[in-house]
Amino acid sequence: MSVSTRDRILDAAEGLFADQGFHLTTLRQITQAAEANLAAVNYYFGSKQELIRAIFRRRLDALNAARLERLDAIEDDGSRPDLEAVLDAFVEPALEFTRGGDAEGQRFMQLLLRAFADRDTALHEAMRHEYAHVMRRFADAVSGALPGADPTRLRHQLDFIVGALTLTMAESALKDTRIIAAELVQFAAAGLRGSLDHRIPESARRTLEATS
Amino acid sequence: MSVSTRDRILDAAEGLFADQGFHLTTLRQITQAAEANLAAVNYYFGSKQELIRAIFRRRLDALNAARLERLDAIEDDGSRPDLEAVLDAFVEPALEFTRGGDAEGQRFMQLLLRAFADRDTALHEAMRHEYAHVMRRFADAVSGALPGADPTRLRHQLDFIVGALTLTMAESALKDTRIIAAELVQFAAAGLRGSLDHRIPESARRTLEATS
DNA sequence: GCTCGATTCAAACAACCGTTTCAATCCTAC
DNA sequence: GTAGGATTGAAACGGTTGTTTGAATCGAGC
């Protein structure tokens, strides 16, 4: 039994979207790569836009599930989880896909980056919804590992980490990703710890006061 | 004397590209917004692709010049610059454009993000070239403020900061940007300082060893 | 005031897009 | 094995794209 046409389309589309972007990739390229008929996309997904959403749903489900699974494993230990372990549970699954041998992991990161860049608000909202409970779980976990942190600030900082992770993973060569991920975890942990004292840099304070 | 047609096209295109992306924005929209004729884009720039490059050249020149100017001012003080001031010289000019009153600054950050996401290797290479000497200057400055840092690692960390800056500035609401920038500076400074002791998180080390 | 290059204009071009249509084919259930 | 829904196939549709063309208009220099 071979792979279903639906799945072949999903796989082919994911690769092409990552390489060329959403608008540049045509349904004719996709169906040709998937060895399916042109009409198959509209038959299975209704439209090109809904095909894109289906791709993200499939991968984000897997990615976030892996993250939560790792977080569960850490927290089940009973003792207070350390900060680096929590961050690693967030970062490492983003690399897990790379294990497959080909550039699948990096491809999906490219795709994620494109989703951030695109102004498709419907897709954006869907992703935010898909991410919401994961981010809350991790915010709680970080809070637990770092008592006394300001919640609003923590949310901003998690966005920093997502940004750093997404952009660097999409950019850097495949070989380096594992090392860079370890560096990112350490960088983020130090950054989070450093915000516990509320020092604001001199020049930034000047800027702030000048506009108040 | 009014603004030249060439400049009106650049301004209109920049706004539309930021809002809708490169491929989705049509030359007809651009020329209509610029109150110019459809053929004017090809007359002045040759093609849509070269129009995009011209936009980035104009803005990146200004942004990076402002960054270096601030860095010069800091280093001219004679004394060893402190880390937060160096980082602020990198981050703050990215917000300077916001001062104009409208959403121009955020728009350009959106645009930068799109450029990262796009696989236009020619544009990518041009940007890297445009950024190269700025990144080296800042890497040196950070090195000076943080003696003993590993150069390769420092380069990765600067990429983290660029990623965090670009993604969060493009995403966050206009009102918050100044506060978030101050938080980012502090976060990044703590992250950089924290890498001086070479601790690697437990779980990440396990992952590294499993694949060697 | 006329000339000539620079600029603007309306119109058309060929190519490609996502989607729709409807007949042909496949496959399961009776 | 045959009926009937699920899937595939080839072709065409209407619309939009970036680009090109060639004439009309403008504006400075003699």
Side-chain angles (χ1 to χ4, degrees):
Chain A
M1 184 60 179
S2 185
V3 192
S4 73
T5 301
R6 212 189 108 100
D7 286 337
R8 285 204 319 276
I9 290 177
L10 278 172
D11 288 335
E14 186 178 70
L16 286 168
F17 282 147
D19 277 348
Q20 310 176 341
F22 300 121
H23 303 302
L24 221 74
T25 302
T26 72
L27 294 185
R28 284 166 177 83
Q29 288 180 311
I30 294 171
T31 51
Q32 186 174 343
E35 300 186 49
N37 187 267
L38 170 61
V41 168
N42 289 279
Y43 177 74
Y44 281 108
F45 300 96
S47 71
K48 184 183 182 181
Q49 200 60 229
E50 292 194 49
L51 167 63
I52 294 175
R53 306 228 173 98
I55 290 172
F56 275 96
R57 233 179 292 122
R58 181 174 69 153
R59 290 289 183 201
L60 276 185
D61 273 0
L63 174 59
N64 283 333
R67 280 168 166 163
L68 290 181
E69 196 177 338
R70 280 182 85 105
L71 190 56
D72 284 340
I74 290 168
E75 290 180 335
D76 275 358
D77 271 3
S79 62
R80 159 177 299 183
D82 85 321
L83 182 57
E84 275 84 358
V86 171
L87 292 176
D88 195 59
F90 187 81
V91 170
E92 213 275 337
L95 305 168
E96 195 85 7
F97 297 137
T98 318
R99 203 70 53 86
D102 56 359
E104 208 177 327
Q106 196 180 12
R107 271 189 173 176
F108 180 62
M109 282 296 144
Q110 269 275 355
L111 215 61
L112 250 182
L113 186 55
R114 289 190 193 285
F116 274 113
D118 260 344
R119 268 284 175 93
D120 180 348
T121 52
L123 175 59
H124 231 83
E125 211 49 45
M127 275 182 50
R128 180 167 289 279
H129 184 266
E130 194 91 31
Y131 254 117
H133 72 289
V134 180
M135 291 307 264
R136 185 163 20 186
R137 278 281 321 260
F138 272 92
D140 288 347
V142 170
S143 259
L146 211 68
D150 173 33
T152 303
R153 190 161 199 176
L154 192 63
R155 194 159 40 79
H156 292 164
Q157 289 168 330
L158 285 182
D159 283 341
F160 294 161
I161 297 171
V162 171
L165 174 65
T166 307
L167 220 71
T168 55
M169 286 301 119
E171 274 245 307
S172 61
L174 262 181
K175 280 224 39 156
D176 303 333
T177 51
R178 191 147 278 122
I179 296 163
I180 293 178
E183 289 178 2
L184 176 58
V185 166
Q186 192 175 336
F187 178 83
L192 287 166
R193 288 205 181 89
S195 73
L196 284 185
D197 54 330
H198 289 183
R199 208 155 30 94
I200 294 287
E202 197 57 41
S203 44
R205 186 187 298 143
R206 246 186 290 117
T207 312
L208 276 166
E209 283 165 358
T211 58
S212 64
Chain B
M1 183 58 181
S2 186
V3 193
S4 72
T5 301
R6 210 190 107 100
D7 285 337
R8 285 205 318 278
I9 290 177
L10 278 173
D11 288 334
E14 188 177 71
L16 286 168
F17 282 147
D19 278 348
Q20 311 176 342
F22 299 120
H23 303 302
L24 221 75
T25 302
T26 72
L27 295 185
R28 283 167 179 82
Q29 287 180 309
I30 293 171
T31 51
Q32 185 175 343
E35 299 186 50
N37 187 268
L38 169 64
V41 168
N42 289 280
Y43 177 74
Y44 281 107
F45 301 95
S47 71
K48 184 183 181 181
Q49 199 60 228
E50 291 193 50
L51 167 63
I52 294 175
R53 305 226 175 99
I55 289 173
F56 274 97
R57 236 179 289 122
R58 182 174 71 152
R59 290 289 182 202
L60 275 186
D61 273 358
L63 173 60
N64 283 333
R67 280 169 166 164
L68 290 181
E69 198 177 336
R70 280 182 84 104
L71 189 57
D72 284 339
I74 289 169
E75 290 181 334
D76 276 357
D77 271 1
S79 63
R80 159 178 300 183
D82 87 319
L83 181 57
E84 274 84 356
V86 171
L87 292 176
D88 194 60
F90 187 81
V91 169
E92 214 277 336
L95 305 168
E96 194 85 8
F97 298 134
T98 318
R99 202 72 49 87
D102 56 359
E104 207 177 328
Q106 196 181 11
R107 271 189 173 176
F108 180 62
M109 281 297 145
Q110 269 276 354
L111 214 62
L112 250 182
L113 186 55
R114 290 190 192 285
F116 274 112
D118 259 344
R119 268 285 176 91
D120 179 348
T121 52
L123 175 60
H124 231 83
E125 211 49 46
M127 278 181 48
R128 179 166 288 279
H129 184 266
E130 195 93 30
Y131 254 118
H133 72 291
V134 180
M135 290 307 267
R136 186 163 20 187
R137 277 281 321 262
F138 273 91
D140 288 348
V142 170
S143 257
L146 211 69
D150 174 31
T152 302
R153 190 162 199 176
L154 192 63
R155 193 158 42 78
H156 292 164
Q157 288 167 331
L158 285 182
D159 284 341
F160 294 162
I161 297 171
V162 171
L165 174 64
T166 307
L167 220 71
T168 55
M169 288 299 117
E171 276 245 306
S172 62
L174 263 181
K175 281 222 39 155
D176 303 332
T177 52
R178 191 148 278 121
I179 297 164
I180 293 178
E183 289 178 2
L184 176 58
V185 166
Q186 192 177 334
F187 179 82
L192 286 166
R193 286 207 181 88
S195 74
L196 284 184
D197 54 330
H198 290 186
R199 208 154 29 94
I200 295 285
E202 197 58 40
S203 44
R205 185 187 298 143
R206 246 186 289 116
T207 311
L208 276 165
E209 282 166 356
T211 59
S212 62

